[in-house]
Amino acid sequence: MKRRILVIGGGAAGMMAAIIACRRGAVVTLIERNPRVGKKLLVTGNGRCNYTNTNLDYHCFQGENPQFAAAAFRRFDSRETMAFFEELGVVPKLEEEGKVYPWSDQASSVLDLLLHELEAGGVKVMVNAFVRRVRKQGAKFQVELADGSIVEGDRLILTPGGKAKPSTGSDGNGYDLARSFGHTITPLYPGLVQLKLAGSFFHQIQGVKLVGTVALLDGTVELSRERGDIIFGNYGLSGPPVFQLSSLVGRLLAVGKEPVLRLTIIDRMDRAALTALLNARFQQAAGKSLDFSLVGFINKRLIPVILKVAGFQDLKRPAVTLTPEEIGRIGRILTDWRFPVRGTKSWPSAQVTVGGVATDELNPETMESKLVPGLFLAGEIIDLAGRCGGYNLQWAWSSGYVAGENAAH
Ligand SMILES: Cc1cc2nc3c(=O)[nH]c(=O)nc-3n(C[C@H](O)[C@H](O)[C@H](O)COP(=O)(O)OP(=O)(O)OC[C@H]3O[C@@H](n4cnc5c(N)ncnc54)[C@H](O)[C@@H]3O)c2cc1C
């Protein structure tokens, strides 16, 4: 008799697991609470779906044991992911830093092709089906839906996602399903999200964009550093490099640390070269006020804020009157502007969940639970969070593939 597999959650991991289990000969039912599967996939990569990254490595992940991901990546890596999607019809387009998008630039096209494959393979897709409870009764798994009906299977694959962007359906309820099987959930924090920083001036510079470097400091220790497009918000900072750092923040704050963000606006010039440039600029600024003398070098909206932070009260004084010490203060803010980190924005703004089902309770080769034989987990519900750049979807595809293959075995 064919093995009957139930998959809870029609996101990236669940769809992959269902397709692979079906290809391996199982009878598969995919259960999704939303009216259709793949809602989160549609918003990925700003609607373009950055579905993998060619520089795949478990070091690009965090969690209690990022190395847990290595076995799944060996089984199904970014090359195989591209080949899988190419077979479905997705032409890969390689962009900067190894990011891969569909040539169509449409996340919806990736979803259409996955839906086609689910249907062609014979996966039964149940939508508007919220899973309220799960249990193992003898050798069978029973899934109780919100309407009270029960669906039964021989194996269960749990892929209900995490807590990030709960409007897509993954609102954290899946952790209770995992807990009901005895699994431990490590502390959960929003990841790939905006940082809230201390400072009373952010509303003045909201919307200012620049290319620069941000680093996260714990005391004098630099934990991580990133470069790219940075955007000021009325709460603090946003943009890809800030997102990358943000995934470290929740855990630091939870253990009583006081992380600091260092912003380097002028990051392509060393301090000596910058000082020389500022000296020359102010000396040649005859007739210009201090604030006007920086126009053309620094974003106009940032100038008054930077000068105030550097300790200047009179921004209209002649630029030529600046002393070397005063010029040094401006240089320091441009290269080493520090902000105490107050926290991150919350779940609706986050792209990923930091934390999840403890990896030491799962077999990395199969994604099977060590606590409940026949139960498999995959995707964001597991304690692994990747960098921005296609890593999180890759984790969903790789872990979903391994779970689907082994559940059907
Ligand atoms: C705005 C945004 C942009 C992103 N962009 C990228 C990107 O470009 N590249 C990248 O790699 N990653 C990106 N990510 C992250 C990536 O989308 C996720 O890590 C990935 O989709 C997780 O897949 P998953 O299958 O584990 O969970 P999900 O995709 O969240 O799927 C879980 C599914 O389970 C369903 N579900 C939950 N509970 C139940 C229940 N009780 N009963 C039935 N169904 C249930 C949910 O409705 C959902 O459909 C982005 C995330 C966001 C929010």
Side-chain angles (χ1 to χ4, degrees):
M1 250 228 327
K2 284 191 165 188
R3 183 160 276 153
R4 283 180 310 147
I5 297 180
L6 306 178
V7 183
I8 301 178
M15 287 188 278
M16 178 60 85
I19 288 168
I20 298 305
C22 207
R23 287 185 182 177
R24 299 289 190 275
V27 175
V28 183
T29 306
L30 178 60
I31 306 170
E32 168 58 48
R33 68 187 294 184
N34 287 328
R36 61 177 295 189
V37 298
K39 191 168 176 191
K40 186 172 277 179
L41 198 61
L42 292 175
V43 299
T44 57
N46 282 325
R48 294 174 58 220
C49 189
N50 175 197
Y51 66 100
T52 183
N53 193 297
T54 54
N55 306 322
L56 185 62
D57 190 301
Y58 70 80
H59 291 109
C60 299
F61 288 77
Q62 57 168 297
E64 283 185 1
N65 177 22
Q67 201 175 349
F68 176 85
F73 292 154
R74 272 195 304 275
R75 181 69 191 94
F76 192 69
D77 64 10
S78 57
R79 213 166 23 87
E80 282 154 314
T81 300
M82 281 190 275
F84 170 90
F85 280 101
E86 226 169 336
E87 194 192 309
L88 262 54
V90 179
V91 179
K93 181 164 64 164
L94 189 65
E95 296 197 1
E96 81 291 348
E97 295 169 350
K99 293 177 191 162
V100 183
Y101 293 83
W103 202 271
S104 61
D105 281 331
Q106 286 177 309
S108 63
S109 64
V110 177
L111 181 56
D112 287 351
L113 293 165
L114 282 167
L115 286 170
H116 178 80
E117 186 64 15
L118 286 166
E119 199 186 325
V123 173
K124 181 180 175 196
V125 180
M126 293 175 74
V127 290
N128 296 312
F130 180 82
V131 174
R132 193 159 64 182
R133 255 188 293 274
V134 282
R135 60 183 160 263
K136 195 170 180 193
Q137 201 80 20
K140 302 277 181 210
F141 286 92
Q142 291 186 339
V143 167
E144 184 185 321
L145 303 181
D147 64 4
S149 60
I150 307 273
V151 193
E152 210 172 68
D154 306 309
R155 296 269 166 99
L156 181 65
I157 305 179
L158 199 53
T159 54
K163 283 185 83 166
K165 206 155 179 73
S167 58
T168 60
S170 33
D171 59 1
N173 84 88
Y175 299 114
D176 292 333
L177 300 178
R179 267 192 208 102
S180 71
F181 282 121
H183 278 289
T184 311
I185 312 298
T186 66
L188 305 171
Y189 307 104
L192 302 182
V193 65
Q194 298 86 344
L195 281 182
K196 292 190 194 165
L197 305 173
S200 54
F201 42 76
F202 284 112
H203 63 283
Q204 279 172 260
I205 47 180
Q206 183 177 1
V208 170
K209 289 184 192 158
L210 54 92
V211 177
T213 299
V214 280
L216 196 65
L217 311 178
D218 175 15
T220 54
V221 181
E222 182 181 303
L223 301 174
S224 188
R225 183 203 298 219
E226 300 283 344
R227 183 169 201 272
D229 294 330
I230 295 163
I231 304 147
F232 284 89
N234 60 3
Y235 49 83
L237 287 178
S238 173
V242 176
F243 290 166
Q244 307 284 26
L245 300 183
S246 70
S247 300
L248 296 169
V249 164
R251 280 200 174 122
L252 289 171
L253 292 173
V255 296
K257 305 262 189 190
E258 294 175 350
V260 167
L261 184 123
R262 183 181 64 213
L263 170 64
T264 306
I265 295 176
I266 304 298
D267 65 349
R268 284 291 186 253
M269 217 185 279
D270 66 20
R271 237 350 230 291
L274 175 63
T275 305
L277 182 147
L278 289 173
N279 271 322
R281 198 173 173 93
F282 292 131
Q283 273 163 24
Q284 289 155 19
K288 286 186 184 169
S289 61
L290 169 55
D291 55 356
F292 193 63
S293 68
L294 288 170
V295 171
F297 182 43
I298 302 300
N299 182 297
K300 282 191 281 182
R301 289 178 60 205
L302 279 183
I303 295 171
V305 171
I306 285 175
L307 291 174
K308 285 270 155 79
V309 173
F312 294 91
Q313 303 302 324
D314 179 8
L315 310 191
K316 295 297 172 197
R317 65 185 262 204
V320 287
T321 63
L322 256 67
T323 65
E325 185 275 330
E326 287 175 319
I327 294 173
R329 276 195 264 144
I330 297 172
R332 194 166 60 250
I333 300 297
L334 292 176
T335 52
D336 186 357
W337 191 357
R338 296 188 184 207
F339 307 87
V341 178
R342 294 278 178 256
T344 66
K345 281 217 167 190
S346 192
W347 297 108
S349 308
Q351 287 192 21
V352 78
T353 312
V354 177
V357 172
T359 47
D360 59 356
E361 296 171 353
L362 306 172
N363 179 341
E365 303 287 339
T366 60
M367 294 296 143
E368 188 170 13
S369 161
K370 290 180 184 170
L371 313 182
V372 183
L375 170 67
F376 295 76
L377 290 91
E380 198 173 311
I381 188 173
I382 298 174
D383 174 20
L384 270 170
R387 287 173 62 81
C388 207
Y391 295 97
N392 288 298
L393 280 174
Q394 182 61 59
W395 168 242
W397 310 130
S398 296
S399 57
Y401 186 100
V402 170
E405 177 170 71
N406 286 283
H409 187 61

